[in-house]
Amino acid sequence: MTDLPPPADPREGGWKPSRSTGAFMALAGPLWARREGEDWAHGVPAAAQHLNPAGLVRGGLLASLMDHALSTIAWEAAERRPCMTLQLDTHFLSPARAGELIEARGRVPRRSANLVFLRGSLRAGERQVLAAQALMKIRRQEICASCFCTNTTYCRI
């Protein structure tokens, strides 16, 4: 795996470093975002640290990217209330490789008072890498924007 292509440069497509990643996605990424009309796309430029021993992007990274993208879509659909993943079904359709920009997009086919139903996909160029469905629970409790604790009145951060 010494002759890997360099990671794609997302800036060339109008992507910007994501500021709302959280610690896990910051470590798994780097995560990039791009506004597309009323929607957002999220992406990770695949590099050596994302590969499994077979030289392909790890399925765990793909699932994490999909979960992150669908969670942000659910958050907007729920009037910016926090949502948590109840179910994430993923179907790996083709491998992603180093040097590719893996792009995540999704939509909300249905929403109830407490749940958001989502569909999403990951693409590497023109190739679909992953298809997903998710179910997110809308949380009613306020969560601190600084540290994500539930004590918004007396948070010490």
Side-chain angles (χ1 to χ4, degrees):
M1 279 201 279
T2 57
D3 295 332
L4 295 175
D9 185 358
R11 288 174 287 211
E12 295 173 4
W15 295 81
K16 296 181 179 174
S18 180
R19 293 177 289 154
S20 63
T21 61
F24 178 77
M25 282 309 295
L27 184 62
L31 185 67
W32 293 73
R34 178 173 70 184
R35 192 76 169 160
E36 297 178 337
E38 295 295 312
D39 300 320
W40 285 93
H42 299 272
V44 170
Q49 71 266 25
H50 301 121
L51 305 182
N52 62 24
L56 303 171
V57 174
R58 291 183 176 275
L61 173 69
L62 300 175
S64 294
L65 175 58
M66 189 80 269
D67 184 54
H68 176 80
L70 294 178
S71 293
T72 60
I73 293 166
W75 177 74
E76 286 193 351
E79 289 91 37
R80 298 187 169 206
R81 287 191 306 245
C83 297
M84 58 189 223
T85 305
L86 295 179
Q87 181 177 336
L88 176 65
D89 300 321
T90 57
H91 301 273
F92 299 96
L93 305 175
S94 67
R97 295 178 171 80
E100 295 180 317
L101 177 62
I102 304 163
E103 301 179 18
R105 290 177 181 79
R107 62 183 181 85
V108 177
R110 182 169 172 247
R111 181 189 162 213
S112 71
N114 298 313
L115 300 171
V116 182
F117 300 80
L118 301 113
R119 293 190 184 275
S121 67
L122 298 182
R123 300 189 81 77
E126 297 299 315
R127 194 175 74 259
Q128 188 172 6
V129 173
L130 180 143
Q133 297 183 105
L135 179 60
M136 305 275 178
K137 170 109 173 110
I138 301 169
R139 292 196 45 155
R140 298 290 174 210
Q141 190 173 20
E142 288 287 320
I143 294 181
C144 173
S146 298
C147 69
F148 302 107
C149 74
T150 56
N151 189 0
T152 57
T153 306
Y154 301 105
C155 182
R156 296 175 192 246
I157 292 184

